[in-house]
């Protein structure tokens, strides 16, 4: 990208979200899809804007157990996390979604741009087993309007996620 500075053209470096920086550092190949978005839209609309099947497009949900530990669940955009199943997978008595107002403080990301990669702290990650049905999966790139495409195997390698049915 170039911008005019003092009558001269100066190159400006794009600031990449943590998710992309992590993939770059680990030399994991990925594709970036950008879409126009002024405000939060749900994952199904995001998938459509990207021309991607909703079943192949995954959202990131952050839950907190009774122990106060956070957990990251990555699942197809049209699905919901059954809380009893999530609690069992996390080894918690009970679990609930974190309040929207806490997303940035907990993850470092905003609603609609929450990537399972590069959160403020490493949390246990659970990937819905349907991700293994596809050569590539699509996840948030770490900001609203950015989606990343990578293989499920690479996702597992970088996150250490547990593949589960939920």
């Amino acid at each position: 990208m170039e911008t005019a500075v003092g009558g001269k053209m100066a190159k400006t470096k794009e600031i990449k979200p943590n998710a992309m920086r992590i993939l770059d550092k680990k030399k994991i190949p990925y594709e970036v899809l950008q879409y126009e978005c002024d405000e939060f839209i749900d994952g199904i609309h995001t998938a459509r804007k990207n021309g991607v099947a909703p079943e192949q497009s995954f959202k990131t949900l952050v839950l907190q157990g009774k122990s106060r530990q956070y957990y990251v669940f990555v699942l197809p955009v049209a699905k919901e996390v059954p809380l009893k199943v999530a609690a069992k997978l996390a080894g918690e008595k009970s679990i609930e979604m974190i309040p929207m107002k806490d997303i940035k403080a907990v993850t470092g990301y905003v609603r609609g741009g929450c990537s399972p990669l590069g959160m403020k702290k490493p949390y246990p990650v659970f990937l819905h087993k349907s991700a293994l049905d596809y050569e590539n999966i699509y996840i948030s790139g770490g900001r609203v309007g950015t989606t990343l495409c990578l293989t499920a195997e690479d996702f597992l390698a970088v996150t250490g996620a547990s593949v589960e049915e939920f």
Side-chain angles (χ1 to χ4, degrees), residues 102-118:
D102 295 343
I103 290 173
K104 182 148 176 115
V106 171
T107 69
Y109 293 121
V110 298
R111 180 180 188 215
C114 187
S115 179
L117 307 175

Side-chain angles (χ1 to χ4, degrees), residues 3 39 57 59 62 64 78 88-89 95 114 153 159 162 164:
T3 57
E39 58 189 47
S57 189
K59 63 184 173 183
V62 181
Q64 186 175 34
K88 186 173 182 177
L89 290 172
I95 200 166
C114 187
E153 291 78 18
T159 62
S162 172
E164 304 289 347

Side-chain angles (χ1 to χ4, degrees), residues 35-41 49 110-111 144-145:
Y35 58 92
E36 290 296 319
C37 186
D38 295 330
E39 58 189 47
F40 172 78
I41 58 173
K49 279 187 171 259
V110 298
R111 180 180 188 215
V144 176

Side-chain angles (χ1 to χ4, degrees), residues 132-152:
L132 302 181
D133 296 340
Y134 305 101
E135 185 176 336
N136 293 306
I137 59 171
Y138 297 83
I139 61 170
S140 173
R143 67 176 153 229
V144 176
T146 304
T147 299
L148 301 178
C149 173
L150 69 161
T151 68

Side-chain angles (χ1 to χ4, degrees), residues 42-78:
D42 66 53
I44 293 173
H45 287 95
T46 299
R48 288 189 186 129
K49 279 187 171 259
N50 285 324
V52 176
E55 302 80 29
Q56 208 172 341
S57 189
F58 288 73
K59 63 184 173 183
T60 304
L61 299 178
V62 181
L63 286 75
Q64 186 175 34
K66 190 169 180 79
S67 70
R68 311 303 293 159
Q69 167 72 37
Y70 296 106
Y71 302 92
V72 177
F73 285 78
V74 182
L75 63 158
V77 294

